[in-house]
């Protein structure tokens, strides 16, 4: 799953840019999900006095509204973007206005100083209202998503990578950049996705209810030692053998 | 996780009953979630023209709205109740108006014929407007949730059981009732939750270099205990989850 983030101040063209990217990615045959951050303190999806609102006020800690054509799961907290993405399984996810995602980013703005304020090593291009006055900025192209959709999405296809893990550098630094640094290093062309050994070379693979679990190397070591310690005593085992275990229904 | 369902026609007292049950369960120290089914064809949680609505119309297949105090994940289909419950991890979940859940049920009604129409082996009691005219029906108590909340929730504590699996009888019939029949058998006092071996004694399957290993039950128990002992500490695990581990190349 590849993730692209669109950031910028209010009314700088974020949603219009998101719409055109989503449409074009779908047109190219990709599955696409999205996350929209709402920077409005009073934001509430549910309506005061609705039945689901009555459930919540009675003390229900997670309320779902299920209609004939939709299912809305209403968490009563701001979930970290990593937790939200755990519900997603698409080729691409487009984030709009989400500040806590360390993924390739498109900055939208009215004017150049806004870009400087939010600039980071994750910026792959600029878009939004600033496209009326600039073609490039700090060596990155500036696109009008309405008229240059294809070029913009070509760049997204080229630059985005499968979402990386989010471990502390003290837990895993096998790539030499830390999870924080690997993304920008990939964007600069210094590193590659497969430098992430947690992602691409899991010697120990654990799934819970079918979902792969990401583990830092030392957790992998614990599981490997425990499992080979027991299974190694069983008939048929020899050093280096592949072991597969499943518990419960597959 | 224990689940109780409240069913009945419109305006028969479902939401009021749900509110009082949720409040009382919380007062007793339980964690509680809920699901409300909306039987109104035109139901839409999102507002026409909102930014999230624009994402959806552009083709985003799963849209999340994240505000400062809430996160709303908006699935564009009616998810099966089992899929919804997979997001839940509470002591109790209260379902309102959800027809496809095979769990202990409270029927609400204005009059007795409505009860007959929806009667099933899952009914543990009745509630709602009918409490004005009846105390019992077909051998089940009838409660006014507003004034008899404690007695109603006592019965829920007594009768509900941890959610059972949902396998076809051809896949598993170890309890002798099938998943469909075990719930009603527990409610009748003929069976117990732990008659479900899938729940209490998940299967353990080990392969070495692709070859299945036959294990006597006590070896299975050793492996199950060791693996769940470790993996149970990892994020994402909950009791009864399926675990798959592979070590080395598959």
């Amino acid at each position: 799953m590849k993730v692209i983030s669109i950031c910028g101040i209010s009314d700088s063209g974020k949603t219009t840019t998101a719409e055109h990217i989503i449409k074009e990615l779908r047109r190219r045959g990709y599955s696409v999900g999205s996350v929209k951050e709402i920077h409005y303190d009073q934001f509430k999806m549910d309506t005061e006095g609705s039945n689901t609102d009555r459930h919540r006020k009675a003390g229900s800690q997670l309320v779902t509204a299920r209609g004939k054509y939709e299912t809305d799961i209403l968490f009563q907290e701001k979930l970290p973007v990593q937790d939200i993405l755990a519900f997603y399984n698409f080729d691409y996810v487009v984030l709009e206005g989400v500040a806590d995602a360390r993924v390739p980013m498109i900055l939208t703005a009215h004017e150049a100083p806004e870009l400087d304020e939010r600039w980071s090593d994750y910026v792959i291009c600029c878009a939004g209202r600033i496209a009326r006055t600039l073609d490039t900025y700090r060596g990155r192209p500036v696109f009008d998503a309405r008229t240059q959709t294809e070029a913009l999405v070509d760049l997204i296809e080229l630059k985005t990578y499968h979402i990386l893990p989010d471990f502390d550098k003290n837990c895993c630094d096998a790539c030499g950049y830390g999870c924080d640094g690997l993304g920008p290093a990939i964007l600069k062309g210094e590193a590659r996705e497969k430098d992430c050994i947690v992602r691409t070379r899991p010697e120990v693979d654990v799934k819970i209810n079918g979902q792969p679990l990401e583990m830092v190397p030392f957790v992998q070591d614990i599981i490997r030692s425990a499992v080979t310690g027991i299974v190694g005593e069983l008939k048929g085992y020899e050093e280096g053998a592949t072991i597969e275990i499943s518990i419960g229904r597959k």
Side-chain angles (χ1 to χ4, degrees), chain A:
Chain A
M1 194 162 74
K2 296 178 172 187
V3 183
I4 181 80
S5 173
I6 304 165
C7 286
I9 65 165
S10 189
D11 200 34
S12 59
K14 288 195 297 295
T15 305
T16 301
T17 303
E19 280 177 313
H20 283 86
I21 291 170
I22 293 167
K23 264 186 210 163
E24 178 63 15
L25 285 170
R26 290 299 311 277
R27 199 188 65 79
R28 294 185 186 192
Y30 295 114
S31 61
V32 181
S34 66
V35 179
K36 163 76 194 169
E37 177 117 13
I38 292 145
H39 302 274
Y40 158 59
D41 268 15
Q42 278 71 48
F43 169 71
K44 272 185 189 179
M45 178 62 75
D46 203 358
T47 313
E48 191 86 16
S50 70
N51 287 345
T52 40
D53 187 54
R54 286 170 66 186
H55 280 216
R56 189 181 59 74
K57 285 185 178 140
S60 176
Q61 293 155 285
L62 177 60
V63 179
T64 293
R66 183 172 74 160
K68 203 165 169 182
Y69 307 110
E70 63 179 71
T71 305
D72 309 301
I73 304 189
L74 312 175
F75 292 88
Q76 289 160 43
E77 60 187 314
K78 180 173 175 165
L79 295 181
V81 69
Q82 296 287 346
D83 292 4
I84 296 173
L85 292 177
F87 297 112
Y88 282 65
N89 185 16
F90 296 99
D91 296 322
Y92 281 92
V93 180
V94 177
L95 309 179
E96 184 187 333
V98 174
D100 60 336
R102 288 178 297 213
V103 297
M105 185 186 292
I106 298 168
L107 279 188
T108 60
H110 304 78
E111 291 173 342
E114 293 166 35
L115 296 175
D116 292 332
E117 247 172 56
R118 290 163 184 260
W119 201 263
S120 88
D121 289 341
Y122 285 106
V123 176
I124 63 165
C125 65
C126 305
R129 297 189 188 273
I130 190 123
R132 292 183 294 200
T133 49
L134 288 177
D135 288 329
T136 61
Y137 192 71
R138 288 195 182 193
R140 307 287 196 285
V142 178
F143 294 110
D144 184 328
R146 298 167 302 178
T147 55
Q148 298 170 290
T149 321
E150 292 202 15
L152 172 55
V153 174
D154 286 347
L155 188 76
I156 291 170
E157 282 191 328
L158 185 73
K159 289 288 188 181
T160 52
Y161 43 81
H162 294 88
I163 192 166
L164 297 170
D166 191 25
F167 297 120
D168 188 280
K169 206 165 174 167
N170 294 319
C171 294
C172 180
D173 190 25
C175 67
Y177 296 96
C179 297
D180 260 9
L182 182 59
I186 292 170
L187 291 176
K188 274 180 214 151
E190 287 171 10
R192 292 171 306 169
E193 270 188 75
K194 65 180 184 182
D195 292 336
C196 174
I197 63 150
V198 173
R199 172 57 39 80
T200 53
R201 282 190 281 123
E203 290 164 30
V204 177
D205 182 54
V206 175
K207 288 183 187 170
I208 296 183
N209 288 334
Q211 290 298 312
L213 206 68
E214 278 178 6
M215 294 172 294
V216 296
F218 98 92
V219 174
Q220 293 186 25
D221 290 344
I222 290 171
I223 291 175
R224 188 191 306 102
S225 301
V227 169
T228 54
I230 300 163
V231 175
E233 296 302 317
L234 302 178
K235 201 179 161 185
Y237 180 79
E238 58 187 58
E239 210 179 303
T242 297
I243 302 171
E244 292 164 81
I245 298 180
S246 70
I247 296 177
R249 301 266 158 189
K250 270 175 285 188

